[in-house]
């Protein structure tokens, strides 16, 4: 192989050809895995990112030949299972991403391998359960039952049994379920006339997400308070299901397609009506901005939703650019240790959350830009819990630096993981939207 010199083209991403016969052909998958693994073996630039690359390099180094041909093909799965699709290798490290002729897209190759595994039926009940966030949330968040579920999740003996039964690690602190759902308590605000300088959409549609709806409705309520304070009218998406990211990470692409058919028509109408669409979970935002457009590149509605989709702080920064965001902050936040989650970094919008928090008088922000190691449902599973804590250790240390008053991450699950990894610490964990609401004095 030779490297093409002088390529100054921007990295691009090819559509995911998941509906072609070759995509699920295991023999052709093995050939592509071997090709990409050989390139990664010769480079090793991503060794510090996660546990997938160290697992690959150990397999090669311990093999019969010290090269990829000395690794049994059945063991390639060990690398695939360590990948949680954070996308950091593609975005920050790999020099061979397209349009380079070597065409290395490691995350989407891992996704293809997961899809082949799923189609073969080699997926545990636990993995199907954990990825069914909407279905589980609807049941577990029922009043009274929510309290029971939360009590069980805090009980050591019950957690030991749960680990033995379904493989959820007994030490993983699980997010509680709320008996009051976000969607049931939220109400739309009224319209307002267009103001001078209004270049960004002056009205917002909120996609609640499973996590905000069933686990931490306060995050969504804080978002609505901030919108109302800034005189930005809002509505909730009239109908919604899970964005599909948990099913994508499982390799269940048909379920992703079914969820897309529920969500996209509703969101596309909102986009056509001029709404900016906001979600308070970076993975959900990324699903609509990147993954669905790559899965359905010919779908005009998917493209329209992607163009209308914003991270909340990305949207606030644009309103600030237009001179339409209020900056009369009443309360200092003190020392904030802020973590930027991987699925926010992948969106390539810059550090908008940090910029907003730093505008608050009497506030200093310690920014940590590294994978926390939780990564969706991956860090919940018994076989990956220790690795998730190992990956997160540098983050835990950096987040505790300077004795912060608050620790915060745009990914609420990452925030909980960081809090667990930091152990006994005086810092309060709050979502950045909650911190902004506190700063406003709302």
């Amino acid at each position: 192989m030779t490297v093409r010199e002088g390529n100054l083209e921007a990295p691009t991403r090819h559509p995911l050809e998941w509906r072609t016969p070759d995509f699920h052909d295991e023999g052709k998958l093995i050939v592509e895995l071997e090709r990409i693994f050989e390139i990664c073996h010769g480079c090793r630039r991503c060794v510090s990112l996660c546990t997938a690359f160290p697992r690959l390099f150990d397999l090669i180094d311990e093999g019969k030949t010290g090269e990829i041909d000395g690794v049994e093909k059945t063991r390639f799965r060990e690398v695939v299972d360590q990948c949680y699709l954070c996308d950091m290798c593609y975005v920050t490290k790999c020099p061979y991403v397209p349009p380079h002729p070597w065409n290395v897209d490691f995350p989407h190759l891992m996704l293809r391998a997961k899809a082949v595994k799923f189609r073969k039926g080699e997926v545990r009940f636990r993995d199907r359960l954990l990825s069914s966030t909407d279905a589980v949330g609807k049941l577990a968040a029922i009043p009274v039952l929510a309290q029971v579920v939360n009590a069980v999740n805090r009980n050591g003996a019950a957690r030991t049994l749960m680990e033995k039964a379904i493989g959820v690690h007994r030490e993983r602190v699980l997010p509680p379920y709320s008996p009051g759902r976000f969607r049931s308590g939220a109400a739309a605000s009224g319209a307002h006339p267009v103001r001078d300088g209004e270049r960004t959409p002056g009205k917002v549609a909120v996609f609640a997400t499973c996590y905000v709806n069933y686990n931490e409705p306060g995050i969504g309520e804080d978002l609505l308070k901030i919108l109302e304070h800034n005189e930005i009218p809002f509505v909730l998406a009239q109908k919604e299901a899970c964005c599909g990211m948990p099913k994508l990470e499982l390799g269940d692409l048909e379920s992703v397609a079914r969820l897309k058919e529920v969500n996209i028509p509703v969101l596309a109408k909102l986009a056509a009506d001029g709404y900016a669409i906001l979600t308070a979970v970076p993975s959900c935002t990324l699903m609509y901005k990147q993954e669905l457009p790559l899965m359905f590149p010919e779908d005009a509605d998917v493209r329209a939703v992607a163009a209308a989709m914003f991270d909340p702080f990305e949207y606030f920064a644009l309103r600030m650019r237009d001179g339409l965001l209020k900056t009369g902050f009443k309360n200092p936040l003190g020392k904030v240790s802020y973590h930027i989650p991987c699925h926010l970094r992948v969106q390539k919008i810059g550090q908008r959350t940090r910029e907003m928090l730093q505008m608050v008088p009497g506030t200093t922000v310690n920014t940590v830009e590294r994978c926390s190691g939780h990564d969706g449902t991956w860090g919940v599973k018994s076989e990956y819990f220790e690795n998730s804590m190992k990956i997160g250790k540098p983050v835990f240390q950096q987040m505790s630096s300077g004795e912060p008053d608050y620790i915060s991450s745009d990914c609420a699950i990452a925030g909980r993981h960081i809090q667990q990894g930091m152990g006994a610490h005086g810092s309060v964990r709050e979502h950045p939207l909650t911190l902004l609401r506190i700063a406003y004095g709302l």
Side-chain angles (χ1 to χ4, degrees):
M1 292 185 179
T2 59
V3 179
R4 183 176 62 182
E5 300 293 339
N7 178 23
L8 299 179
E9 297 176 70
T12 187
R13 209 85 188 249
H14 296 314
L16 194 69
E17 297 180 343
W18 65 285
R19 282 179 165 161
T20 63
D22 286 353
F23 188 87
H24 288 95
D25 186 305
E26 189 169 16
K28 292 180 179 178
L29 167 65
I30 293 295
V31 171
E32 183 65 0
L33 285 169
E34 193 166 17
R35 182 184 79 85
I36 297 299
F37 286 174
E38 182 181 7
I39 294 171
C40 294
H41 165 49
C43 175
R44 301 207 172 196
R45 187 174 179 178
C46 294
V47 68
S48 64
L49 281 181
C50 61
T51 50
F53 293 99
R55 178 71 272 192
L56 170 61
F57 303 145
D58 285 348
L59 287 173
I60 294 171
D61 295 342
E62 295 165 4
K64 297 177 181 179
T65 65
E67 301 292 340
I68 192 65
D69 62 4
V71 179
E72 293 182 15
K73 306 301 185 288
T74 55
R75 303 199 69 183
F76 286 177
R77 180 169 294 179
E78 296 176 30
V79 180
V80 176
D81 289 343
Q82 291 293 331
C83 177
Y84 39 75
L85 303 179
C86 72
D87 249 17
M88 284 295 99
C89 57
Y90 190 97
V91 172
T92 68
K93 291 286 186 179
C94 183
Y96 306 123
V97 299
H100 192 283
W102 289 1
N103 190 30
V104 174
D105 187 337
F106 191 90
H108 277 179
L109 178 62
M110 296 299 99
L111 175 58
R112 179 182 175 188
K114 291 174 188 290
V116 170
K117 178 181 176 181
F118 182 86
R119 181 166 285 192
K120 290 175 66 179
E122 298 173 352
V123 177
R124 295 175 60 174
F125 166 76
R126 173 205 60 189
D127 300 337
R128 294 176 183 270
L129 180 69
L130 291 175
S131 65
S132 301
T133 52
D134 211 5
V136 173
K138 286 177 181 177
L139 178 63
I142 294 173
V144 180
L145 183 58
Q147 287 89 334
V148 173
V149 171
N150 293 337
V152 168
N153 285 341
R154 292 191 300 266
N155 182 277
R159 291 297 302 276
T160 298
L161 290 174
M162 186 188 300
E163 180 169 21
K164 291 178 180 178
I166 62 174
V168 171
H169 200 282
R170 63 188 181 279
E171 295 179 24
R172 168 60 67 201
V173 177
L174 300 174
Y177 285 95
S178 171
R181 300 181 188 180
F182 167 69
R183 285 182 61 87
S184 62
S189 67
H192 77 277
V194 175
R195 290 173 283 180
D196 291 340
E198 192 166 73
R199 291 180 290 172
T200 49
K203 54 185 181 179
V204 161
V206 175
F207 183 88
T209 77
C210 299
Y211 187 85
V212 170
N213 201 25
Y214 302 120
N215 298 103
E216 290 195 58
I219 295 172
E221 291 162 4
D222 289 339
L223 172 58
L224 300 190
K225 288 175 183 177
I226 294 166
L227 292 171
E228 189 168 19
H229 178 69
N230 282 282
E231 302 177 56
I232 302 170
F234 57 83
V235 298
L236 264 62
Q238 197 171 37
K239 179 182 179 183
E240 71 174 60
C242 174
C243 69
M245 181 63 80
K247 294 297 184 184
L248 183 84
E249 293 172 343
L250 185 63
D252 184 1
L253 302 186
E254 293 294 345
S255 286
V256 173
R258 287 192 290 271
L259 292 167
K260 171 248 184 190
E261 291 303 319
V262 175
N263 290 319
I264 289 297
V266 177
L267 297 179
K269 185 177 186 308
L270 290 166
D273 289 342
Y275 284 90
I277 306 171
L278 273 56
T279 84
V281 176
S283 295
C284 302
T285 314
L286 182 67
M287 191 68 189
Y288 289 107
K289 281 187 174 184
Q290 173 178 290
E291 300 302 344
L292 287 179
L294 289 172
M295 285 184 66
F296 304 95
E298 305 303 321
D299 192 315
D301 283 348
V302 169
R303 294 197 303 271
V305 170
M309 186 67 60
F310 295 88
D311 170 80
F313 284 90
E314 176 190 16
Y315 178 76
F316 296 151
L318 291 171
R319 297 297 286 179
M320 175 71 70
R321 178 202 66 183
D322 291 351
L324 297 173
L325 195 78
K326 296 181 180 180
T327 57
F329 300 111
K330 297 180 179 179
N331 298 317
L333 298 173
K335 297 178 181 178
V336 178
S337 270
Y338 163 62
H339 167 256
I340 309 176
C342 297
H343 281 179
L344 186 59
R345 295 169 64 189
V346 174
Q347 295 177 42
K348 302 177 185 177
I349 61 174
Q351 298 185 6
R352 302 307 181 203
T353 303
R354 174 189 60 80
E355 293 168 3
M356 189 66 60
L357 295 178
Q358 283 185 330
M359 291 173 54
V360 180
T363 302
T364 58
V365 182
N366 167 38
T367 304
V368 179
E369 192 172 10
R370 185 174 179 141
C371 182
S372 73
H374 191 286
D375 303 289
T377 62
W378 189 78
V380 171
K381 301 172 184 178
S382 296
E383 63 269 36
Y384 305 125
F385 173 77
E386 295 297 337
N387 278 347
S388 76
M389 301 305 286
K390 179 180 179 181
I391 293 168
K393 188 174 181 180
V395 175
F396 309 152
Q397 293 172 341
Q398 293 174 45
M399 289 290 284
S400 62
S401 176
E403 299 184 356
D405 299 296
Y406 294 103
I407 59 171
S408 189
S409 175
D410 300 274
C411 175
I413 296 177
R416 288 183 175 276
H417 172 62
I418 292 167
Q419 185 180 40
Q420 179 175 356
M422 289 172 64
H425 202 279
S427 305
V428 177
R429 178 188 58 82
E430 296 286 10
H431 192 275
L433 288 169
T434 302
L435 293 179
L436 190 59
R437 189 263 300 163
I438 292 171
Y440 274 129
L442 304 177

